[in-house]
Amino acid sequence: MEPVLETAMRQFHQAADRIELRDEMRELLTSFKTVYQTDFPVNMDNGSTKVFSGYRVHHNSARGPMKGGIRFSSIVSLDEIKALAMWMTWKCAVVNVPFGGAKGGVICDPGTLSSSELQDLTRRFTSEIAPIIGPDRDIPAPDMGTNAQIMAWMMDTYSMEQGYTIPGIVTGKPVAIGGSEGRFEATGRGLLYVLQEHLAAEGGVRDRTVSVQGFGNVGGVAAKLLCEAGARVQYISDVATALHHPEGIDALAAFAHVQAGGTLRTWLDEHPNAAEEVAHEDVLTADVDVLVPAAVESVLTEHNAGDVRAKLIIEGANGPTTSDADAILNERGVMLIPDTLANAGGVTVSYFEWVQARQYLHWSEEQVNAELRRVMTDAYHNVISRCPLNSGGMCTQREAAQWIGVERVVEAIELRGIFP
Ligand code: GLU
């Protein structure tokens, strides 16, 4: 078992121990409803044909249709997709949206594919997984390496095969074809709302020093919104470049540059005084108030958890902290707001998008953001009610979120019963 799946399993079993979950329920919840693997050919621009491997995994559907992103990355593996599908089940339950958990991915490096190769790969993969997805069955969304354009191609492929437009088949689509206002920023915005709630009694996020690892749809947006909210974003990083400025980095300008097709390297080249380059590890061990790991899984491990100097970690990525690191951070009194709560804003607005698609309605951005704030705030207080901030480390927010997730899924399974 790869470390990422081991982390997901250990988190589940820790919660299962605390709520004394019976063995057959543990067996059910550590199993996967559907594991779909497909090898499929794509015609490349140079005339050759290349075979790619992809996955779609359903973890559990007790609470509703299954939901989760599609990842295009060269490090995709079946164990990773299983772990991410399981986390989706708990995440949807923690924010109480009526979905089960799924995830998918294709092993590829999207940066090396031309636009037409990317489109052909997306369309063929969609066609391969079409039998197990559907607007009432399993609704994909963007994740690492995928975006609104890729969702548009998925929606079109599925719709063409059915013979009519089915906007509810994916979320995270462009707004012009039924996407939701606010979906692009939703994960970072949801993270900000949770953080604002967490720090409300201590003066909010204004003037807090922050370090953000990852500068994509989660980290980039979070850094930008934190800047706008008055935090001092001292560190940012993308896969190639890590930057620091003691007075704070203009993350709005950096994000606008990256959105226009640049990288943090080219931004620094154009604005050499905006920041200084530092080592990637410095971003994780920065002496700041808040650390936001928003890149990939398993970046906080037993090897560096002892060096973390932030007082608070809020997880933008899925599974950035291994179980060993969790134990070390908890022991050291570092407060951690877990992924299944902190980054659930994405799937929450995905739910709003799906509802709008089913009703052929269009909500305003104000309405989306207000509903998002309500859902994230309720979920945060629900977690905190299980794990008071003054519990003296007896219970972490990760454990509390995991209990809520597992309990809600178990309740659904028990109410529905086992078929036949
Ligand atoms: N990929 C995102 C996540 O990991 C969003 C999933 C969705 O919107 O369905 O939460």
Side-chain angles (χ1 to χ4, degrees), residues 111-191:
T112 63
L113 298 173
S114 72
S115 175
S116 72
E117 289 168 343
L118 196 58
Q119 177 168 177
D120 287 357
L121 181 147
T122 301
R123 287 189 182 277
R124 180 62 185 253
F125 178 61
T126 306
S127 175
E128 295 290 341
I129 63 170
I132 63 159
I133 61 173
D136 291 311
R137 181 175 294 160
D138 169 13
I139 305 113
D143 197 83
M144 242 170 70
T146 56
N147 56 26
Q149 175 61 71
I150 287 173
M151 293 306 114
W153 291 328
M154 290 192 74
M155 189 272 253
D156 185 68
T157 304
Y158 190 85
S159 297
M160 288 302 102
E161 287 185 349
Q162 302 295 316
Y164 58 100
T165 298
I166 305 174
I169 180 61
V170 292
T171 59
K173 300 176 292 293
V175 172
I177 53 166
S180 180
E181 304 288 348
R183 175 62 185 87
F184 174 71
E185 289 195 341
T187 312
R189 186 173 289 282
L191 184 143

Side-chain angles (χ1 to χ4, degrees), residues 303-350:
H303 303 299
N304 60 6
D307 301 326
V308 168
R309 284 180 289 168
K311 294 155 205 73
L312 171 66
I313 297 172
I314 178 161
E315 294 183 328
N318 293 308
T321 313
T322 66
S323 296
D324 291 334
D326 241 347
I328 295 167
L329 292 166
N330 190 32
E331 177 85 26
R332 295 184 52 228
V334 180
M335 175 71 84
L336 186 147
I337 306 180
D339 47 6
T340 51
L341 170 64
N343 74 26
V347 76
T348 299
V349 177
S350 276

Side-chain angles (χ1 to χ4, degrees), residues 7 52 54 71 79 91 121 124 140-141 147 176 179 197 246 265 287 312 366 372 403 412 419:
T7 297
F52 290 87
R71 176 170 285 213
D79 273 4
K91 190 191 300 192
L121 181 147
R124 180 62 185 253
N147 56 26
E197 211 53 34
R265 158 79 51 217
D287 188 6
L312 171 66
E366 293 71 45
L372 174 63
W403 299 338
F419 175 83

Side-chain angles (χ1 to χ4, degrees), residues 139-256:
I139 305 113
D143 197 83
M144 242 170 70
T146 56
N147 56 26
Q149 175 61 71
I150 287 173
M151 293 306 114
W153 291 328
M154 290 192 74
M155 189 272 253
D156 185 68
T157 304
Y158 190 85
S159 297
M160 288 302 102
E161 287 185 349
Q162 302 295 316
Y164 58 100
T165 298
I166 305 174
I169 180 61
V170 292
T171 59
K173 300 176 292 293
V175 172
I177 53 166
S180 180
E181 304 288 348
R183 175 62 185 87
F184 174 71
E185 289 195 341
T187 312
R189 186 173 289 282
L191 184 143
L192 174 72
Y193 289 162
V194 169
L195 187 61
Q196 283 176 329
E197 211 53 34
H198 183 79
L199 296 173
E202 301 161 38
V205 301
R206 178 160 291 283
D207 295 330
R208 302 274 167 179
T209 55
V210 182
S211 178
V212 183
Q213 184 202 35
F215 211 67
N217 176 248
V218 183
V221 171
K224 183 190 99 158
L225 295 177
L226 280 160
C227 255
E228 282 175 353
R232 195 144 43 101
V233 179
Q234 290 183 326
Y235 294 80
I236 56 175
S237 69
D238 64 13
V239 66
T241 312
L243 302 178
H244 169 240
H245 197 296
E247 298 307 320
I249 297 171
D250 183 356
L252 278 83
F255 192 61

Side-chain angles (χ1 to χ4, degrees), residues 212-215 235-244 249 254 257-258 262-269 275-283 295:
V212 183
Q213 184 202 35
F215 211 67
Y235 294 80
I236 56 175
S237 69
D238 64 13
V239 66
T241 312
L243 302 178
H244 169 240
I249 297 171
H257 178 89
V258 169
T263 62
L264 290 184
R265 158 79 51 217
T266 55
W267 185 67
L268 185 65
D269 288 345
E276 54 159 4
E277 193 167 355
V278 291
H280 268 94
E281 195 61 19
D282 295 348
V283 175

